Amino acid sequence: MKIFIIAIPLLVVGGLLAYALQGAHFAILDPKGIIADKERGLLIFTTLLSLVVVVPVFVMLFVIVWRYRATNTKAIYSPEWDGSRFFETLWWGIPCLIILVLAIVTWTSSHQLDPTRSLTSTHPPLKIQVVALQWKWLFLYPDQQVASVNTVEFPINTPIEFDITADAPMNSFWIPSLGGQIYAMPGMTTKLHLMADTSGTYAGSSANLSGTGFSGMRFSAIATSASDYANWLIRAHSSSQVLTSSSYTALAVPSADVAVRLYRLGEPTLYDTIVMKYMMPSTATSSTDTKAVNSDMDMDTNMNMNMPGM
Amino acid sequence: MSERVNAGLHGESAMQKQAKVLLGFWIYLMTDLVLFASLFATYAVLRSNTFGGPGGGQLFNLPLVLVETILLLTSSFTAGLLTIVLSRGNRRLVMVFLALTFVLGVGFLVIELTEFSHLIQDGNSWQRSGFLSAFFTLVGMHGLHIAVGLLWMLVVGYQVLYRGLTTAVTRRLRLISLFWHFLDIVWIFIFSIVYMIGVL
Amino acid sequence: MFGKLTISAFVHDPITNVAILGTIIIGIVGIILLIRFKKLSWLWKNWLTSLDPKKIGVMYIAIATFMLLRGLADVLLIRTQQALSSGASHGIINADTFQQVFSAHGTMMIFFVAMGFLFGILNLIVPPQIGSRDVAFPFLNSVSFWLFAGGALLVNLSLAVGEFSAAGWLAYPPLSELSYSPGVGVDYWIWSLQIAGVGSLLSGINFLVTIIKLRAPGMTPMKMPIFIWSVLGSMSLVVFAFPILTATLSMLALDRTLGMHFFTAEAGGNAMMYVNLIWAWGHPEVYILILPAFGIFSEIVSVFSGKRLFGYKSMVWALGAITFLSFTVWLHHFFTMGAGADVNSFFGIMTMIIAIPTGVKIFNWLFTMYRGRVRLTTPMLWFLGFVVTFTLGGVAGVLMSVPAIDYQVHNSLFLVAHFHTMIIGGVLFGIFAGFTYWFPKFTGFTLNERIGRWAFWVWLFGFLLAFIPLYILGLMGATRRLDHYDASLGWQGLFIVAGIGATLICIGVALQILQVIVSIVQRKQHLVLDGDPWNGRTLEWSTVSPPPSYTFAVIPIVTDRDDFWVSKHQSIPDQVPRHYRAIAVPKNTSAGIVIAGFATLIGFAVIWQIIWLIPVALLGLIISCIIRLSHDAEEEIISAVDVERQELTARRQRDLV
């Protein structure tokens, strides 16, 4: 009887989950890029390592509770036994060893998978600047002179260097199939390096609350062949819309559930202008010295980023 | 538990109570220190964020701040003397040193408020930049503590006059002195970290 | 005249209106009942103005229970919205309301439910367990409680008057700054937390001094019950962490009300500083909550195994290590801010080091049961549920302490599932275990075991159903706080399962309430006349249950860590003292209510920028403080004859058993 009380609900839990999981896609466990792949490997390794402690704990828990239940008067009862140097050394020691292993893995993986670290490939890297707005993602291709909203396209096996900022509340830029996220913050630049190894359209999301339109602030990351990417560039170049400071101002007005848009990029330094407007009063900046101030600012930003953390 | 003693709250001696209050007050001072530490840390991070406006070097009037510092250090000295005459139970001298400390504290506060009003009149209020926000808040928070201390002195001074040096009043005077020394130490940090480094 | 407060502040959508109406009706019915049965002055004299920690503790638990129900109502809204709002459907509430609901949910559950239950249990248990009659500063204790109540009042007020913050439970700037959140919601958030937070800080000081100064003679540090050690650690964290919260909230308030630029995006503000500061408080806060839960479990395992706690010294060292380490890990909440690999791995490694002392505690609990006589009562069920959920949640925690893994699960529902596993499976299960365990101590009768077991099992399965889907959704790339998502993502099934789980949890809570009601009705069948229903080990069980207002007629002298257990086993006859002495207890006062009332009024005035009210309320606060602090604490004497009479009655009752 008692066994049913536990077994039936367990079956219900399992059944409901199995039903809900039909056709589910585990983006994080099904990587399409080198970074996501390594992050998944790390996830699995750490889980297995934890099981070294978790499994014995669960086994011991149920064995001990069963064996030493109050009704089992045959079991040994030693109410005054309150310590054992041997056992206590054991469970201070073994977790220490496990954490030592994990600490080494953490140190190396944190450096290896540092989002600021460039990736190597036979293909030259592609630079894409990302601006989180309320509530859409703007992608600028400074070298290709195009821009897009809520869609970002790039060739596979090419390292992508994302420079990320926000002209809105802090956000987080995340393409789970390709790799982990990084914050997008006004007035500063964070960097993220990703590379896709399989063609496809991957869901990209804004992972940090940014106001009412936040749920609809999603984008597609499209990894394609070099030729498809070239075609896409041509389409963007032939777009009737040009992105300049003034059309940007109109775009930056808060709006939700925005459709995909392609632009010709009219101002290659637009990204720097967007970052700079939080660093200086608008009158102090003229278009000529933006670049010079910007390099100063980069240093400043890095200092700021490390200081509170240290 | 084989033995039991009769020692209730009723039996709590004045000394036990004194020890309890003193420990509580020390822990409170520590929490206040953490509060100031948070503000100091924020100031350190925002110090160079002048947003095109003036920095500490252009704004601070070091001689005036030096006068402020001397006033506060002297008041800390008189607060120390207060505790010495307190243990001798000399009510008149207690009043004298309490009044001295109070006057010096008021002087400090007046100078600080003058400095603030000059800054605001020159268009350098806390709204101008992150640096000025941090400056006004850190220094202002210390000033607010000074103001609370002065109010406390008024109340306890009244009690010394009308109740005499009772156990409770004596305890309060010791706490005031402790509080005042604490604010003095915080000021030393403000003086060196905000003003000295600010004009460098 | 009324600042930003206009008639539009009272206009809401239908769902909110129903909630407001319900609250008002319940309030009115309550007041009518009190008047009808002439209980208003009883409530005032015996409860609201009382300085007795036993009464203050009960009031904390009452408010926490009320806030738990409000938090659960929010859960049902969140779960319904997320189960329905997929594809063409946009669910039952709009994005802004949804964001207010989850912000309120997090705020209430941490600050007013977990903290409320925690301080309630501390007030009830700490003094008797260290053999003291009271906390160090009884009046300060009352002020702390009323500040907590004032904060709770403001949160609830925001439902009917104006709005609540829609910026999440930690209100990250610049979203929480005036330019992006121009309404009063964030101000409500700031001031309710500020007021309740100062209350918590004062409580922290109070309990630290209580534990350091008021222990019964003979109770050396290594003879303190482990629960007391856990509270010592927790309260040390309070006094170090809460000032940071006070400073941070003040700066955000200055930004919003005086136009400063601490955390704004423009004019040289630095929002990252806020994130650092809020987590420098926020991470220790997690341990402020979990350490006492560890302490409760340690007591319970030892009592229900009829055996000394295994590895007491290890436990003390583990508690100390966790207390210290909890201040060195805050950055793991934002690895994704880009601090660099060195900084990230340092904080990651410090985080995983915490798993070591935590693991040690779990092994020590297992070995406390080993060679014991384990009685599987409801408190023990909660403990077993805790070990299972907490260990699994711990694995998720270790995963996220590796920065490169965290990049992939941060801000996802995996993270949401993780911290709910820790807070529910750790803190809340601990509170439920402690509540069931100590309930007879303060009422004189035990809780109904049968309904208690049902509540536990429903809770546990509800918990699994509610949070396993969230772990899975996280691995599917689902971010937190979504009021709507694309149907093509295939998430809806899991959200529906999570909704079923949340419903089961609510049924579990309903069963717990039923359990208390049924137990009160049937109390005659479950009386604990000898005051010691579980064969307890520590001092609080040595007095009668419920204890008299003075708790101990004579202060015990402690000779052993499990002092009461040892004295029972040495079968020393309970010696009747030759004569009793009069006992002084602090006199009731309404000053705590007045002071906290003015503080709350200041908060309200600043929220709505009712300029004239701010100095008026401030003056009221200052004057009431001066008046109270100028009086030496007043005491009420319970005469020796009274003490003797009460003790003899209790003794006679005990001898009947």
Side-chain angles (χ1 to χ4, degrees), chain B residues 2-23:
Chain B
S2 47
E3 292 168 62
R4 287 169 183 249
V5 286
N6 272 331
L9 270 182
H10 197 46
E12 187 184 63
S13 66
M15 221 153 87
Q16 277 168 320
K17 171 146 183 153
Q18 166 98 355
K20 217 167 60 174
V21 172
L22 205 63
L23 177 67

Side-chain angles (χ1 to χ4, degrees), chain C residues 353-405:
Chain C
I353 288 176
I354 293 194
I356 299 170
T358 314
V360 166
K361 297 185 80 68
I362 289 184
F363 283 111
N364 277 333
W365 287 323
L366 291 180
F367 265 64
T368 305
M369 296 190 288
Y370 181 76
R371 294 191 175 174
R373 286 269 187 269
V374 181
R375 289 174 285 161
L376 283 180
T377 52
T378 324
M380 276 305 274
L381 288 182
W382 289 114
F383 167 72
L384 298 179
F386 153 78
V387 175
V388 173
T389 54
F390 196 77
T391 311
L392 289 178
V395 172
V398 171
L399 287 182
M400 284 190 294
S401 71
V402 181
I405 300 178

Side-chain angles (χ1 to χ4, degrees), chain A residues 68 70 77 88 111 181 183 215, chain C residues 306 314 336 339 342 374 408 410 483:
Chain A
Y68 296 99
Y77 178 45
E88 286 173 66
H111 286 81
Q181 64 195 287
Y183 283 163
S215 296
Chain C
S314 275
T336 51
D342 290 346
V374 181
Q408 274 287 37
H410 181 66
D483 57 273

Side-chain angles (χ1 to χ4, degrees), chain B residues 8-200:
Chain B
L9 270 182
H10 197 46
E12 187 184 63
S13 66
M15 221 153 87
Q16 277 168 320
K17 171 146 183 153
Q18 166 98 355
K20 217 167 60 174
V21 172
L22 205 63
L23 177 67
F25 198 75
W26 270 105
I27 297 176
Y28 153 72
L29 287 183
M30 209 171 59
T31 66
D32 224 3
L33 201 62
V34 178
L35 181 90
F36 276 110
S38 311
L39 295 180
F40 270 114
T42 311
Y43 177 82
V45 169
L46 296 183
R47 203 171 76 87
S48 52
N49 294 13
T50 55
F51 199 61
Q58 290 107 297
L59 294 178
F60 299 149
N61 180 353
L62 218 48
L64 200 65
V65 178
L66 203 64
V67 176
E68 252 182 305
T69 308
I70 291 168
L71 283 182
L72 200 66
L73 285 179
T74 318
S75 79
S76 197
F77 177 66
T78 54
L81 292 177
L82 171 78
T83 53
I84 293 175
V85 294
L86 189 63
S87 37
R88 293 189 193 148
N90 189 332
R91 184 161 146 191
R92 176 177 291 184
L93 276 180
V94 164
M95 275 314 286
V96 167
F97 285 122
L98 190 63
L100 267 177
T101 314
F102 180 82
V103 170
L104 289 166
V106 170
F108 169 86
L109 208 55
V110 168
I111 296 179
E112 182 161 288
L113 290 176
T114 317
E115 189 200 5
F116 280 6
S117 75
H118 281 310
L119 284 173
I120 295 168
Q121 275 164 14
D122 295 345
N124 296 317
S125 82
W126 53 76
Q127 299 191 343
R128 176 141 194 199
S129 68
F131 155 70
L132 280 163
S133 301
F135 166 78
F136 274 101
T137 305
L138 173 57
V139 180
M141 179 61 93
H142 178 266
L144 186 69
H145 277 73
I146 293 282
V148 170
L150 292 175
L151 187 67
W152 196 8
M153 284 183 204
L154 279 183
V155 173
V156 177
Y158 174 87
Q159 292 178 356
V160 175
L161 280 180
Y162 289 92
R163 293 189 198 167
L165 295 175
T166 62
T167 323
V169 172
T170 309
R171 189 176 62 232
R172 282 170 201 146
L173 283 168
R174 285 188 197 284
L175 295 187
I176 287 179
S177 168
L178 201 57
F179 187 60
W180 209 249
H181 292 316
F182 165 76
L183 291 181
D184 208 46
I185 292 168
V186 173
W187 179 257
I188 299 291
F189 278 101
I190 291 179
F191 180 68
S192 39
I193 292 176
V194 175
Y195 290 104
M196 297 284 273
I197 297 180
V199 295
L200 284 183

Side-chain angles (χ1 to χ4, degrees), chain A residues 5-6 9-10 12-13 16-17 20-29 36 39 42-43 46-47 50-51 53-54 56-58 60-62 64-65 68-84 87-88 91-92 95-96 99 102-107 109-111 113-115 134 167-170 172 174-183 185-188 190 203 205-216 218 257 277-278 301 304-306 308-310, chain C residues 95-96 99 102 166-168 172-175 180 265-268 270 272-273 275-276 305-312 314 317-318 330-331 333-334 336-349 352-353 355-357 360 362-364 366-367 369-376 383-384 387-388 391-392 395 398-399 401-412 457 461 464-465 468-469 472 474-484 489-491 493-494 497 500 537 561 565:
Chain A
I5 294 177
I6 300 170
L10 272 180
V12 173
V13 172
L16 277 173
L17 285 177
L21 279 174
Q22 282 175 330
H25 174 241
F26 289 83
I28 290 166
L29 302 180
E39 284 168 345
L42 208 53
L43 180 94
T46 313
T47 309
S50 305
L51 290 184
V53 176
V54 171
V57 165
F58 280 11
M60 277 163 66
L61 178 70
F62 290 107
I64 290 176
V65 169
Y68 296 99
R69 66 192 187 278
T71 45
N72 180 14
T73 47
K74 277 182 271 176
I76 304 170
Y77 178 45
S78 23
E80 296 297 318
W81 187 51
D82 65 352
S84 146
F87 284 121
E88 286 173 66
W91 54 67
W92 277 101
C96 277
I99 295 301
L102 198 55
I104 294 167
V105 171
T106 300
W107 184 266
S109 69
S110 295
H111 286 81
L113 295 174
D114 184 353
Q134 268 185 332
D167 192 2
M170 185 173 106
S172 193
W174 189 24
I175 311 170
S177 296
L178 299 184
Q181 64 195 287
I182 199 89
Y183 283 163
M185 295 174 281
M188 60 193 80
T190 44
S205 66
S206 114
N208 202 71
L209 180 64
S210 58
T212 46
F214 148 77
S215 296
R218 300 181 64 84
D257 301 307
K277 76 176 195 183
Y278 289 103
T301 317
N304 276 345
M305 286 172 69
N306 289 326
M310 293 302 279
Chain C
D96 181 56
Q99 291 172 356
F102 67 66
Y172 275 15
L175 180 61
Y180 295 112
E266 70 284 346
N270 187 334
M272 292 187 295
M273 191 60 200
V275 179
N276 272 284
S305 303
K307 189 162 161 282
R308 280 182 185 274
L309 182 70
F310 196 87
Y312 176 89
S314 275
W317 279 106
W330 78 91
L331 192 132
H333 294 272
F334 46 94
T336 51
M337 203 140 79
D342 290 346
V343 176
N344 275 359
S345 24
F346 169 79
F347 281 94
I349 291 168
M352 51 190 73
I353 288 176
I356 299 170
V360 166
I362 289 184
F363 283 111
N364 277 333
L366 291 180
F367 265 64
M369 296 190 288
Y370 181 76
R371 294 191 175 174
R373 286 269 187 269
V374 181
R375 289 174 285 161
L376 283 180
F383 167 72
L384 298 179
V387 175
V388 173
T391 311
L392 289 178
V395 172
V398 171
L399 287 182
S401 71
V402 181
I405 300 178
D406 179 73
Y407 296 149
Q408 274 287 37
V409 287
H410 181 66
N411 269 347
S412 76
W457 287 110
F461 283 108
L464 294 177
L465 265 184
I468 291 176
I472 297 172
L475 294 177
M476 292 166 73
T479 47
R480 63 197 292 204
R481 295 169 167 172
L482 292 175
D483 57 273
H484 179 261
L489 292 161
W491 297 344
L494 286 164
V497 175
I500 297 173
R537 312 179 68 86
R561 198 174 291 153
W565 165 271

Side-chain angles (χ1 to χ4, degrees), chain B residues 148 150-156 158-159 163 172, chain C residues 139 595 618-632:
Chain B
V148 170
L150 292 175
L151 187 67
W152 196 8
M153 284 183 204
L154 279 183
V155 173
V156 177
Y158 174 87
Q159 292 178 356
R163 293 189 198 167
R172 282 170 201 146
Chain C
F139 172 66
I595 290 172
L618 190 65
L619 204 65
L621 178 75
I622 293 171
I623 291 174
S624 50
C625 281
I626 290 177
I627 291 176
R628 170 67 202 189
L629 296 179
S630 302
H631 286 87
D632 301 324

